[in-house]
Amino acid sequence: MSYEEALNYLLSIPMFQQVGQEAFHPGLDKIQELDNLLGNPHKRYHTIHVGGTNGKGSCSHMIASVLMSAGYKVGLYTSPHLKDFRERIRVNGAMIDKAFITGFVERIGADIIRLTPSFFEATTALAFDYFAHEKVDVAVVEVGLGGRLDATNIITPLMSVITNIAFDHVALLGNSLKEIAGEKAGIIKPGVPAVIGETVPDTSVVFIQKAHETDSPLVFADQIYRCSESVIENGFQRFEMRGMLDGHTFILESDLLGIYQRKNIVTVLAALEVLKRQKILKFDKKEIEAGIKFCSENTGLSGRWQVLCNTPLIVCDTGHNEAGIKEVVEQIEHQKYNKLFIVLGVVSDKDLSRILPLLPKEAYYIFTRSSVPRALEAGRLKTEAEAYGLKGERVSGGVKEAVTRAKDLAGKDDMIFIGGSTFTVADI
């Protein structure tokens, strides 16, 4: 079997990111059976579990980068991928070997047919098996969707991190913030410390109750650290930080340029402090600083307020739900430009009433459709957007053509933003 055949086999399994709810298999039975067949590889190394609505990818990458800077061999499992399936599974920043993927499918392909797991369940088993094969010291594991019934939730980590709670995937996770928080709180394990990124009255009570039930030490990150301001200079974002308990101020830099990283860096610092107290993994101040500063360089993280061109300014970002779009719009407001063009593509199951009102009305929109079946047709998106006062045109040829059209329209002092969906960004 060739790598291309093995990859096509995995990609033939229905994928939530591609087709939506029909590919979602809640429950842990199938992933547990796959894991048993592989000899429970996730038990051969330490793990850190990261969930939440927004920021869990950035936080996972930053934590992994710090541990890499401290000299550990670090596995990193995230989703979805942008360009290459292998982005999902990395060891010390390097993508999973093609030969291992091929061998994995050859070994358990028949079991996959028999058990009919989801794409994410099969991929999770692959990641856990690869990390064991590579003899990693620790793996940072990002939740796929939700938490309680997510395939990653068979692990018992050193620490559980929940970045924040916002409305997303409400058809699967619940129609209220409390319901969504309840699903995400499912990754909190008995006796395992938990770090919550943001203190919000509607959801904090959920986490406090869960931690009480599981006898888990609980920390709210924004009660430990605060980021008062950040500026972008010389290709790095410079954060002004304060310790809330002792008033100590300090500076951190990062190659992640989204201003929403102000929240994520608070979560990461609190998580690292909790991790350090366990005295299982050791790292110092310089290693924290280096890991955060060179996160993207170390781990390959992309698509988070990523500058693609400076003349005109072209930026893409994968933010796609209400909270994520708010952060993106805030950062756009901080940019200097003459005219603003937005290349916008979304998925069909997105609640447009939550995101379209947030977008700037002064922008000229190029409405497009990404290449995944789940994407919303560009003409329908244009019609929906016009009801909220957003003006522009539809491009039928896909994201690449939409970006080309925006570049044709834009002058050197203008700005083009590309987003609305992870898959819109993936296509460019």
Side-chain angles (χ1 to χ4, degrees):
M1 175 181 288
S2 68
Y3 166 70
E4 287 72 23
E5 290 171 330
L7 180 60
N8 288 336
Y9 178 84
L10 289 174
L11 295 177
S12 70
I13 305 172
M15 187 189 310
F16 177 82
Q17 283 86 7
Q18 295 276 349
V19 301
Q21 189 168 344
E22 66 184 81
F24 180 58
H25 293 180
L28 304 180
D29 292 345
K30 291 184 179 182
I31 180 61
Q32 190 65 72
E33 189 161 354
L34 279 175
D35 193 66
N36 290 341
L37 288 168
L38 295 166
N40 303 123
H42 72 278
K43 296 182 179 180
R44 299 178 212 167
Y45 43 83
H46 297 301
T47 55
I48 297 165
H49 210 181
V50 184
T53 302
N54 293 309
K56 58 184 182 290
S58 293
C59 288
S60 295
H61 281 261
M62 279 193 268
I63 292 169
S65 182
V66 168
L67 295 174
M68 288 168 57
S69 295
Y72 291 104
K73 191 171 189 180
V74 183
L76 179 61
Y77 179 48
T78 59
S79 62
H81 62 274
L82 291 179
K83 293 176 63 177
D84 188 326
F85 166 80
R86 297 184 302 138
E87 295 169 27
R88 294 169 176 259
I89 304 168
R90 297 177 183 266
V91 172
N92 280 4
M95 295 188 291
I96 182 173
D97 291 339
K98 292 180 178 180
F100 191 89
I101 296 172
T102 303
F104 177 84
V105 172
E106 289 175 339
R107 277 186 290 131
I108 71 161
D111 295 302
I112 291 175
I113 292 173
R114 175 175 61 85
L115 294 172
T116 64
S118 68
F119 169 83
F120 188 74
E121 287 169 326
T123 304
T124 300
L126 169 62
F128 290 170
D129 197 39
Y130 185 64
F131 296 153
H133 175 268
E134 289 296 300
K135 295 181 173 61
V136 301
D137 300 304
V138 57
V140 182
V141 177
E142 179 192 2
V143 171
L145 194 157
R148 180 175 65 93
L149 300 176
D150 188 74
T152 63
N153 206 29
I154 63 172
I155 64 175
T156 300
L158 295 176
M159 173 180 62
S160 302
V161 180
I162 300 173
T163 57
N164 55 40
I165 303 297
F167 287 104
D168 202 13
H169 305 300
V170 294
L172 301 173
L173 302 180
N175 292 306
S176 71
L177 292 179
K178 281 189 176 181
E179 288 179 302
I180 296 170
E183 289 298 314
K184 295 185 185 292
I187 69 170
I188 298 176
K189 299 296 198 310
V192 174
V195 176
I196 312 300
E198 299 177 18
T199 306
V200 179
D202 280 351
T203 59
S204 296
V205 63
V206 176
F207 299 124
I208 292 169
Q209 177 63 32
K210 179 66 174 181
H212 177 73
E213 293 171 359
T214 57
D215 194 25
S216 302
L218 185 67
V219 168
F220 287 91
D222 56 3
Q223 296 177 17
I224 307 298
Y225 289 102
R226 190 72 51 86
C227 177
S228 58
E229 190 178 354
S230 69
V231 294
I232 297 174
E233 298 175 342
N234 302 318
F236 290 94
Q237 186 165 194
R238 187 173 181 268
F239 300 92
E240 295 184 10
M241 306 299 302
R242 175 182 292 272
M244 301 304 293
L245 301 181
D246 59 10
H248 173 62
T249 60
F250 56 100
I251 300 296
L252 288 173
E253 290 183 316
S254 176
D255 56 5
L256 304 180
L257 304 182
I259 59 173
Y260 49 79
Q261 300 296 354
R262 295 176 185 176
K263 296 179 180 179
N264 293 333
I265 205 164
V266 166
T267 304
V268 167
L269 286 177
L272 291 170
E273 187 166 308
V274 169
L275 199 60
K276 195 171 185 178
R277 287 179 197 157
Q278 295 177 309
K279 298 182 179 180
I280 296 172
L281 300 173
K282 299 179 181 180
F283 42 87
D284 59 27
K285 179 175 178 286
K286 288 186 178 180
E287 290 159 348
I288 292 174
E289 291 173 346
I292 290 175
K293 184 171 184 176
F294 300 108
C295 174
S296 182
E297 180 179 328
N298 287 342
T299 66
L301 179 62
S302 59
R304 274 68 168 183
W305 197 263
Q306 185 170 348
V307 177
L308 304 177
C309 181
N310 286 299
T311 309
L313 177 62
I314 304 177
V315 177
C316 66
D317 194 278
T318 57
H320 58 274
N321 53 37
E322 180 181 359
I325 293 294
K326 282 181 179 178
E327 300 284 1
V328 163
V329 170
E330 181 184 352
Q331 187 148 6
I332 289 175
E333 291 172 350
H334 283 77
Q335 305 303 308
K336 294 180 180 180
Y337 53 80
N338 183 18
K339 295 180 181 178
L340 173 63
F341 298 86
I342 294 182
V343 176
L344 186 69
V346 302
V347 291
S348 59
D349 54 355
K350 188 63 59 182
D351 184 353
L352 297 181
S353 69
R354 288 191 176 274
I355 62 172
L356 292 178
L358 304 174
L359 296 170
K361 290 182 173 58
E362 73 275 9
Y364 186 82
Y365 288 81
I366 313 294
F367 300 104
T368 187
R369 177 179 182 171
S370 69
S371 57
V372 300
R374 187 177 157 217
L376 183 67
E377 196 274 322
R380 183 178 163 196
L381 175 58
K382 179 177 182 291
T383 300
E384 295 276 355
E386 286 174 342
Y388 293 93
L390 307 182
K391 304 299 183 183
E393 62 188 75
R394 166 183 175 263
V395 171
S396 59
V399 178
K400 182 178 179 181
E401 289 78 4
V403 173
T404 299
R405 173 60 176 160
K407 289 166 72 175
D408 288 341
L409 293 172
K412 63 182 180 65
D413 296 322
D414 295 337
M415 177 179 180
I416 300 171
F417 175 78
I418 306 159
S421 164
T422 299
F423 313 105
T424 304
V425 173
D427 279 359
I428 53 97

